Amino acid sequence: MADELRILVDRRRFLGLGGAGVAALVLAGCGGDGGGDGRTQVTAPPVAKAPTNLEGALNIYTWADYQNPDNVKNFSKANKNLKVKIDVYDSNEAAIAKLELSGAKAGYDIVVPTGVYIPQMVAKGLLQPLDKSKLPNFAKLDPKLLNQPWDPGNRYSAVKDWGSTGYVYDKTLVTEPLSDWAGFFRAAAAKGVSGKVAVLDAPADVTGLAFWREGIDWNTTNPADFQRAEQILTGELVPHLKAFNSFPRDGLLNGEYALAQMWNGDARQVLLEDPDRFAWVLGAPKTELWVDNWTILKSAQHPQAAYAWINNVLDPRVSAAEIDYHGYNTAVIGTEEFLPKDLRQKELIYFTEDEKARFVPGSVANQDQVTRLYNKLKAAASK
Amino acid sequence: MSAAPGPGGAAAAGPGARRRARLPRFTLAAPAWAWYLLFFLLPLVVIAVYSLGYKPPPGSGGSIGLDRLSLDNYTTALGDEVFASTFVATLRVAALGTALCLLIAFPVAYWLATRVDQRVRGLLLGLLIVPFWTSYLLRTFGWRLALAGRGFPSEILQDLGILSGPLSLLDTRLAVQIGVVYNYLPLMIFPLFVALDRLDPALREASKDLGASRLRTFVQVTLPLAMPGIVAGLLLVFIPLSGEYVTPAILGGARGLMAGSLVASQFLEAQNWALGSAMAMVLIAMVLLTIGVLALVGLGVRALVRRARRVDLAAAGPVPQARPAAGRAAP
């Protein structure tokens, strides 16, 4: 039951329903999550030292199921029972719309946007520049993930975690070992797999399948590129598609899907459940790099607590507990030594340099074209 | 969309028998008017204005540009073959869903209104509302459990030997259809029940006494008198169903795209509020148009039937003077 419901609360989407109330309900229903999904290997660490003049509360606006509750509890306890409230959203666009419309009244201090959305949030005047002197642990972030095109010099953001896209397949149904996006398309068309294929319910990730495979710039705005992508996707993918599903874990485990596009952290959960039956492939030759970021709102009413929180989660020990919980790399250097040596499916968290070379950061420049193509694919799939 | 009044229209304002200095009559309706003005008409106007705007370049800070207005978004929405084909698919789901609701709801409502003991009736009607105690979203989600290959209906059918392998209806159009009928059924049953409940049994008895067969009584007495309930039920189900996007998103998988999802994707994925607004306006217009056409067809059919029946009655010779038993007005 909890597994079936989890489809509602994956990291990136929440079915697009904007129901924070449901999130609370579902999360409560799934309380004690962690049995058997590999989240229990690390005990929550102590809290990094914080200044003593913190406000008594902190309101975080973030993705669902994206925060180790033990870290929240410890932070609160270490700071005179500071009240941490976490509210969730289902998409960057929805979060931005809400922040923009209700302004300071929304009452949030910290928000966790995906990198490519930071420029528009800055333009809308939602974010305040980060005072790095209040974030000594900022120095522990991997410089390779800093200074991205969406926030040069990290004026407004500190990396929360990052990840990429690939796919998971059922080895009992896909017999050929796969290694890239071309393999994904080949397997999708194979007998026994066709009709049991899921892709993410995220426009840029689905259109990306064609761009990444063909080595076309993911951020292209060239109509010819989109025509090519449409040809590929409607011809080679749509006929075999079973669902657009951002959390295909359960579908894979119960045999509804034989092949599913996934983000690495969610894919890791599948492999933890049944490593013999499933295999993971990181997209190639190119694939996505997404980065979610800590930002502080201009309207924050508890800025000191916000800084203390961010500084705390950037501590390698605390960060290790975060990784252990959500399965995404936090970009904090030195987390590995606080995780068990035999941490399972580690290679889905710590990518090799060779794998990192495939990463392409996104943008919102072609958002309209991507959405149009995506809706075309959905319409074609419903026929 | 439409303010969907109760069956037979809202009760007329009470007769002002004794005229005294009182608040104006519409005071009673004022809360409803204010509500619809603020939360229906005003937002509708906002959407209409937005639909004439444009999407500002990302990073410019705004969500909608309104300094130059044009009909470009309508050209885009109407010229988009995806929107057109999705709209047709939406109408199909909505029409089929509404028809199924009517077919399933009518016998139940009839049974409740005519065959069930008064004392039990309240309980049964209460039971119809029980599902509403749970969130709409979670109820729909429950269907994922039931429709999956390892869901209990499939397992039971396999255990009984009726199915040889797991039956998975999840992520199919049938699943969407089952889901929407389930979700909208009570909205059909209630207006039907109210209409049938008001129907005086004496009218049916009179029809029988006058020699009409059961079928004829049903077609010529019960059905016309239940018409306000049927129309209310059809509207209550068809209109929201046309804008539905939650059920298809949860149960339909790749086959669940409906016009509502397209509108939502413009707001939540493309950040194109202007085009999303235009699509919403087109959707509203098309639903109204569909209802208008259906209403005209309905009126036409009724006129034809009446004419045919008049001839029929005249040919049957002098009609016995049968007065309606109670003071209820027949249409």
Side-chain angles (χ1 to χ4, degrees):
Chain A
M1 176 80 179
D3 284 350
E4 288 284 356
L5 289 175
R6 276 201 59 143
I7 193 173
L8 282 167
V9 290
D10 77 276
R11 171 197 157 274
R12 298 234 134 183
R13 267 191 176 254
F14 187 65
L15 265 178
L17 298 170
V22 182
L25 195 67
V26 172
L27 288 174
C30 304
D33 196 3
D37 66 359
R39 280 180 174 176
T40 49
Q41 299 187 39
V42 169
T43 49
V47 169
K49 233 180 234 132
T52 46
N53 59 338
L54 303 189
E55 301 89 354
L58 175 65
N59 298 322
I60 302 177
Y61 195 30
T62 183
W63 306 86
D65 204 15
Y66 207 26
Q67 206 61 65
N68 188 334
D70 294 337
N71 279 339
V72 177
K73 231 177 285 164
N74 289 355
F75 178 78
S76 166
K77 229 180 274 165
N79 292 293
K80 303 179 202 152
N81 286 323
L82 185 147
K83 225 174 111 192
V84 182
K85 217 179 96 197
I86 294 180
D87 200 358
V88 300
Y89 51 82
D90 52 350
S91 74
N92 285 293
E93 294 87 345
I96 293 168
K98 180 167 170 186
L99 291 171
E100 201 185 349
L101 293 174
S102 54
K105 271 184 290 227
Y108 301 116
D109 303 303
I110 289 178
V111 64
V112 184
T114 304
V116 293
Y117 291 89
I118 291 177
Q120 53 175 288
M121 293 178 76
V122 172
K124 288 174 205 283
L126 293 171
L127 304 180
Q128 57 170 286
L130 295 182
D131 179 353
K132 305 282 165 42
S133 71
K134 290 177 181 157
L135 296 172
N137 282 336
F138 187 88
K140 298 195 171 133
L141 282 169
D142 183 351
K144 282 186 196 135
L145 282 147
L146 298 178
N147 205 16
Q148 296 286 341
W150 50 75
D151 187 17
N154 280 72
R155 272 197 74 198
Y156 296 94
S157 64
V159 178
K160 176 184 185 299
D161 48 45
W162 58 275
S164 187
T165 304
Y167 57 94
V168 168
Y169 62 92
D170 186 330
K171 285 190 274 187
T172 59
L173 295 163
V174 180
T175 40
E176 171 201 11
L178 305 173
S179 60
D180 56 8
W181 290 123
F184 178 83
F185 281 88
R186 243 188 353 261
K191 207 167 156 260
V193 181
S194 174
K196 299 177 101 180
V197 180
V199 291
L200 294 166
D201 190 8
D205 285 298
V206 176
T207 53
L209 286 171
F211 293 140
W212 297 324
R213 185 188 91 177
E214 296 298 299
I216 299 171
D217 177 13
W218 188 30
N219 300 310
T220 179
T221 51
N222 181 353
D225 290 339
F226 276 90
Q227 258 170 26
R228 176 95 187 91
E230 185 182 343
Q231 240 172 27
I232 294 172
L233 295 167
T234 46
E236 300 178 42
L237 178 68
V238 166
H240 313 295
L241 216 50
K242 168 102 168 167
F244 294 89
N245 186 340
S246 289
F247 199 84
R249 174 175 89 157
D250 206 51
L252 281 165
L253 291 171
N254 70 24
E256 301 256 335
Y257 311 139
L259 175 69
Q261 184 190 16
M262 289 186 96
W263 287 300
N264 57 300
D266 297 338
R268 184 168 170 265
Q269 302 291 333
V270 176
L271 268 69
L272 288 174
E273 294 267 353
D274 200 342
D276 300 325
R277 196 171 131 211
F278 295 102
W280 151 261
V281 176
L282 178 69
K286 290 287 169 208
T287 189
E288 168 185 31
L289 168 71
W290 55 258
V291 183
D292 284 344
N293 303 274
W294 298 112
T295 61
I296 301 182
L297 286 165
K298 203 174 256 176
S299 58
Q301 273 148 41
H302 315 99
Q304 303 312 321
Y307 276 111
W309 167 267
I310 296 176
N311 192 53
N312 180 48
V313 287
L314 293 180
D315 177 275
R317 277 193 78 165
V318 180
S319 193
E322 286 294 308
I323 293 176
D324 185 49
Y325 181 78
H326 54 55
Y328 288 102
N329 194 318
T330 53
V332 172
I333 293 171
T335 47
E336 274 182 278
E337 65 178 282
F338 298 106
L339 288 164
K341 287 269 170 322
D342 58 344
L343 183 74
R344 290 180 295 151
Q345 307 298 340
K346 213 172 179 174
E347 57 282 6
L348 271 76
I349 300 173
Y350 298 96
F351 291 106
T352 62
E353 290 309 310
D354 173 51
E355 288 173 323
K356 284 184 195 167
R358 306 177 198 169
F359 292 161
V360 202
S363 81
V364 289
N366 54 8
Q367 208 176 19
D368 279 317
Q369 286 156 296
V370 165
T371 309
R372 206 175 310 134
L373 174 53
Y374 185 63
N375 282 333
K376 257 188 203 172
L377 299 177
K378 279 198 152 178
S382 343
K383 273 184 190 141
Chain B
M1 286 184 211
S2 93
R18 280 170 291 164
R19 291 217 168 268
R20 270 189 270 161
R22 283 272 176 102
L23 288 166
R25 279 185 190 187
F26 66 81
T27 310
L28 283 176
W33 277 109
W35 189 269
Y36 281 118
L37 196 70
L38 271 174
F39 300 112
F40 173 66
L41 272 179
L42 216 58
L44 194 63
V45 170
V46 171
I47 294 284
V49 172
Y50 276 15
S51 72
L52 303 174
Y54 63 94
K55 177 187 172 178
S60 67
S63 288
I64 181 125
L66 292 171
D67 48 309
R68 50 184 164 79
L69 303 181
S70 76
L71 290 170
D72 289 355
N73 295 311
Y74 287 93
T75 325
T76 312
L78 291 169
D80 186 353
E81 81 268 28
V82 171
F83 191 70
S85 71
T86 307
F87 190 77
V88 171
T90 306
L91 272 191
R92 199 173 48 215
V93 172
L96 192 58
T98 311
L100 282 173
C101 278
L102 181 63
L103 283 178
I104 298 172
F106 200 95
V108 177
Y110 189 81
W111 173 72
L112 275 172
T114 62
R115 300 283 190 276
V116 174
D117 188 347
Q118 287 273 6
R119 282 161 299 181
V120 191
R121 201 182 285 165
L123 178 73
L124 289 176
L125 286 170
L127 285 178
L128 280 177
I129 309 177
V130 166
F132 286 100
W133 292 359
T134 318
S135 140
Y136 171 73
L137 190 56
L138 289 182
R139 273 185 288 135
T140 309
F141 223 85
W143 277 96
R144 280 193 75 85
L145 306 177
L147 295 174
R150 58 165 194 192
F152 61 88
S154 161
E155 305 255 294
I156 291 172
L157 288 175
Q158 284 178 74
D159 289 346
L160 292 174
I162 297 170
L163 283 178
S164 53
L167 169 76
S168 176
L169 296 176
L170 210 52
D171 301 331
T172 64
R173 236 174 277 146
L174 181 60
V176 177
Q177 207 70 62
I178 292 173
V180 294
V181 169
Y182 164 77
N183 275 326
Y184 286 91
L185 195 54
L187 292 180
M188 184 67 92
I189 295 181
F190 279 105
L192 283 179
F193 167 77
V194 172
L196 290 168
D197 188 45
R198 286 191 317 186
L199 206 153
D200 194 324
L203 290 176
R204 281 198 307 274
E205 281 160 25
S207 166
K208 207 171 132 197
D209 291 348
L210 291 168
S213 67
R214 278 164 174 248
L215 183 68
R216 193 162 176 193
T217 302
F218 179 76
V219 174
Q220 293 196 348
V221 177
T222 310
L223 211 52
L225 288 173
M227 214 29 109
I230 295 176
V231 170
L234 289 178
L235 290 177
L236 274 177
V237 173
F238 182 77
I239 293 175
L241 199 43
S242 306
E244 170 74 85
Y245 95 105
V246 177
T247 312
I250 296 177
L251 299 176
R255 274 154 206 86
L257 189 66
M258 285 181 66
S261 340
L262 287 183
V263 175
S265 80
Q266 286 305 328
F267 281 92
L268 297 178
E269 277 151 15
Q271 293 189 307
N272 194 338
W273 295 14
L275 184 56
S277 302
M279 285 183 167
M281 294 304 287
V282 173
L283 185 60
I284 293 171
M286 286 191 164
V287 169
L288 287 179
L289 195 71
T290 312
I291 291 170
V293 169
L294 287 180
L296 279 180
V297 170
L299 286 176
V301 168
R302 197 172 73 169
L304 282 177
V305 167
R306 282 201 172 159
R307 187 180 297 168
R309 205 178 288 163
R310 202 176 297 142
V311 173
D312 177 36
L313 286 176
V319 179
Q321 291 286 309
R323 285 154 53 96
R328 278 171 206 266

